[in-house]
Amino acid sequence: MRNTYEEYLREPKTLTFEQMRELHREIAEETDGDPDALELYGELMESAAAYAAIRSRWLRMTREEKMKQDSLRTSAHDSVIIHFNMLARYLRMQGKKAEWRDRLGYEEDDPYYRKTIGDFGCYLVFIDSICAR
């Protein structure tokens, strides 16, 4: 099996677990105690979970399965990005910095940031999943 964390880190615009942990900590601090922010975060997690479910099967799908799922995967990925943007925009309206959003990068600046954002969404799902034991 070649799918390892070390392999992932060799790809462009990746985030280490430590970087993702720090981004997650910042989000948690900025949303803490704000019911509207927590609702937006919950919506983000729903979209991230849907995206992660597709992405987690991607490497084992046949070419035909990928062709059938590609538009759904793209739509789910778009939803994750939109929800990160919505959360950051709301937090900034509340006077928070939401610097974590800038550090995730913007697809308009470099298409690889789209992957970075998807990676981070999957990380959040991973953390949510192991905390649900």
Side-chain angles (χ1 to χ4, degrees), residues 17-84:
F17 280 138
E18 185 57 35
Q19 289 169 313
M20 288 189 268
R21 189 181 70 77
E22 179 59 23
L23 292 169
H24 189 199
R25 184 193 61 74
E26 289 176 28
I27 292 171
E29 285 180 3
E30 290 187 338
T31 58
D32 189 42
D34 181 330
D36 293 328
L38 292 171
E39 183 177 338
L40 287 168
Y41 182 77
E43 292 172 9
L44 165 63
M45 290 305 299
E46 289 296 319
S47 68
Y51 174 65
I54 298 167
R55 189 166 164 182
S56 68
R57 296 185 307 269
W58 197 255
L59 293 176
R60 289 173 299 287
M61 286 183 182
T62 66
R63 181 182 161 146
E64 293 76 26
E65 290 170 324
K66 286 180 181 179
M67 287 173 53
K68 286 181 185 176
Q69 292 287 309
D70 196 44
S71 64
L72 181 61
R73 182 181 68 135
T74 298
S75 177
H77 198 167
D78 290 344
S79 180
V80 170
I81 294 168
I82 288 166
H83 281 88
F84 272 122

Side-chain angles (χ1 to χ4, degrees), residues 84-119:
F84 272 122
N85 291 342
M86 288 170 48
L87 179 60
R89 188 170 34 253
Y90 172 80
L91 290 170
R92 287 176 176 148
M93 287 172 46
Q94 302 309 306
K96 309 287 172 130
K97 293 182 180 180
E99 291 174 343
W100 53 267
R101 180 60 191 91
D102 296 332
R103 287 201 313 281
L104 280 175
Y106 295 92
E107 188 176 5
E108 299 81 16
D109 297 332
D110 186 325
Y112 273 103
Y113 283 125
R114 179 177 177 85
K115 294 179 183 253
T116 306
I117 297 165
D119 296 344

